[in-house]
Amino acid sequence: MRWKEELLQLTPYQPGKSIAEVKRQYGLEKIVKLASNENPFGCSQQVLDKINQFAGSLALYPDGYATDLREALASKLGVSETQIIFGNGSDENIQIISRALLRPGFNTVMAAPTFPQYKHNAVIEGAEVREVPLINGEHDLEGMLKQMDERTNVVWLCSPNNPTGTYINENKLLSFLKRVPQETLVVLDEAYFEYVVAEDYYHSIELIKQFENLIVLRTFSKIYGLASLRIGYGIGSEKVIRALEPAREPFNTNTFAQIAATAALEDQAYVDMCRQRNREGLEQYYHFCEQEQLSYNRSQGNFILIDFKVDGNEVFQYCLERGYIVRSGVALGFPTSVRVTVGSKEENDEMIALMKAFISEKSPLNK
């Protein structure tokens, strides 16, 4: 078969170990999963109530326009309904953008390390990938501008960045956007937007009004706790959204996802609670890192990247065998680190105690 050569260079996305798999492998009863930046508090009760009240037919296709969700989201954001595109998670919106704009002979610019699906999709489409290393965990916007030319079709910004948790402040972003050519689409991935508390974080919806070549991606997978239903969205100018729509698969967001997301938007008190609990959890980890003299970035997401100065796989395996699933930094571009999702206070306490035990037993930092 004549496969795309680019496809043969790639490996499929490797999800973290499931709770059931770890239970079987190590004979454990209790598993704490802090690896995939999921909301440890789940979703709003209002969401569960709405799903339980569903009386429709599973034989019918979903609303291809996502009418109820589209209306609710447009109203909340203060944009037109035609400025929104929905995806089967942010991953599909990244795929849609790549499918629409990337091809051989053109290039795309991104930070490194950052969310890997930007590069993954670009490689499949045969575009040249230009990666610009982070500086102290942050985007090097000046370096990214230098990598752009008349063949740059997409530039990716992840803010807060996964896996570092760092963000781009308003002044830096505005300066950057003013210098990006109009024919280049800027994708601002804000998967962790609702967790941000930084005072100098930008207002991306206002920026969309000013920059027609900007699209913002958000998701219901993180703070809204709907990762299993896979629903995300993009906000941009009507011109950009209209051009992207033909690359979107029909009926790409399912009925339950649309119902759940609409209900989730109505419970902003729950979002506020999750944001506050997340801040408290991050402070637990900051205190631990400072106490143990471990390097870390202050995070605007619901996770923290901690440098143990040893093989990140060793830390990962130590935790895994004791029932705690985290993410090794080896696969994330930080080989001596692990990324830990912020859990409940109790889960954080247990995770911190486990990491202290690792340092005591294994780490050269204690020698």
Side-chain angles (χ1 to χ4, degrees):
M1 296 184 185
R2 299 178 183 89
W3 303 105
K4 279 186 175 182
E5 287 297 326
E6 296 85 359
L7 192 65
L8 298 177
Q9 300 171 23
L10 297 170
T11 56
Y13 177 78
Q14 298 294 321
K17 288 181 178 290
S18 69
I19 290 175
E21 182 183 359
V22 176
K23 280 186 174 181
R24 287 194 302 269
Q25 185 173 359
Y26 296 103
L28 300 169
E29 288 299 319
K30 177 183 176 180
I31 304 295
V32 176
K33 185 169 181 275
L34 301 173
S36 302
N37 303 340
E38 296 143 328
N39 187 338
F41 310 110
C43 65
S44 161
Q45 184 61 44
Q46 291 185 33
V47 171
L48 298 176
D49 292 343
K50 283 287 187 180
I51 290 177
N52 287 333
Q53 292 164 12
F54 176 73
S57 171
L58 296 181
L60 300 179
Y61 284 106
D63 175 0
Y65 191 66
T67 305
D68 291 344
L69 175 57
R70 185 178 297 272
E71 291 176 353
L73 188 58
S75 176
K76 182 179 185 301
L77 297 175
V79 300
S80 167
E81 294 174 19
T82 52
Q83 288 184 261
I84 301 171
I85 186 170
F86 290 101
N88 187 35
S90 286
D91 288 331
E92 190 191 21
N93 280 327
I94 292 167
Q95 185 181 59
I96 288 170
I97 291 166
S98 301
R99 190 181 195 184
L101 284 164
L102 298 181
R103 54 194 182 275
F106 292 85
N107 67 75
T108 180
V109 176
M110 63 195 69
T114 191
F115 187 54
Q117 291 306 105
Y118 312 147
K119 181 176 181 178
H120 185 93
N121 282 282
V123 170
I124 290 174
E125 300 302 334
E128 178 192 352
V129 176
R130 298 181 178 178
E131 297 180 286
V132 180
L134 299 171
I135 297 178
N136 297 323
E138 298 184 358
H139 282 65
D140 176 8
L141 297 181
E142 294 300 322
M144 295 178 79
L145 285 166
K146 290 176 183 176
Q147 286 294 319
M148 298 168 63
D149 58 28
E150 70 279 358
R151 308 295 282 180
T152 303
N153 273 8
V154 183
V155 57
W156 307 88
L157 304 176
C158 190
S159 178
N161 186 47
N162 180 6
T164 59
T166 54
Y167 72 104
I168 304 169
N169 70 38
E170 184 174 21
N171 289 337
K172 290 180 179 179
L173 180 60
L174 189 58
S175 173
F176 178 82
L177 291 173
K178 287 177 178 177
R179 290 181 283 167
V180 173
Q182 281 296 304
E183 61 270 19
T184 300
L185 182 68
V186 178
V187 182
L188 189 53
D189 187 345
E190 295 183 342
Y192 301 94
F193 161 76
E194 291 86 0
Y195 284 109
V196 174
V197 297
E199 293 182 0
D200 59 348
Y201 196 71
Y202 49 83
H203 300 280
S204 53
I205 303 303
E206 293 301 314
L207 291 175
I208 288 169
K209 300 174 185 177
Q210 186 175 350
F211 299 96
E212 192 177 71
N213 62 329
L214 174 66
I215 185 170
V216 174
L217 303 185
R218 293 180 183 172
T219 181
F220 287 93
S221 294
K222 303 305 179 183
I223 207 166
Y224 288 104
L226 302 180
S228 67
L229 293 178
R230 308 305 299 126
I231 185 160
Y233 59 97
I235 320 125
S237 69
E238 292 187 9
K239 181 178 179 181
V240 166
I241 299 302
R242 186 169 58 249
L244 290 174
E245 275 289 349
R248 179 179 65 84
E249 296 294 333
F251 310 112
N252 63 326
T253 61
N254 71 76
T255 297
F256 287 108
Q258 293 180 28
I259 291 171
T262 304
L265 286 174
E266 296 172 358
D267 194 355
Q268 290 300 308
Y270 183 77
V271 173
D272 293 341
M273 182 275 290
C274 291
R275 183 187 304 110
Q276 178 59 34
R277 297 281 291 275
N278 182 70
R279 284 291 114 197
E280 294 167 1
L282 280 170
E283 289 297 331
Q284 290 178 262
Y285 285 104
Y286 296 160
H287 178 73
F288 158 72
C289 289
E290 288 159 11
Q291 187 179 52
E292 299 294 336
Q293 298 182 324
L294 299 174
S295 298
Y296 69 99
N297 288 303
R298 296 186 76 84
S299 176
Q300 291 295 321
N302 67 333
F303 56 89
I304 183 169
L305 186 72
I306 304 173
D307 189 354
F308 283 82
K309 303 298 182 186
V310 297
D311 185 349
N313 285 338
E314 187 178 355
V315 186
F316 162 80
Q317 189 64 34
Y318 181 90
C319 295
L320 184 69
E321 292 173 3
R322 290 155 181 81
Y324 293 79
I325 310 173
V326 294
R327 188 73 187 272
S328 169
V330 172
L332 303 176
F334 293 89
T336 61
S337 299
V338 294
R339 191 190 67 194
V340 183
T341 303
V342 177
S344 66
K345 183 181 185 305
E346 294 72 25
E347 289 170 341
N348 298 333
D349 283 338
E350 293 166 1
M351 187 67 234
I352 288 168
L354 186 59
M355 291 190 294
K356 285 183 176 180
F358 171 84
I359 292 171
S360 177
E361 294 177 30
K362 304 279 187 176
S363 175
L365 291 171
N366 199 50
K367 296 178 181 178

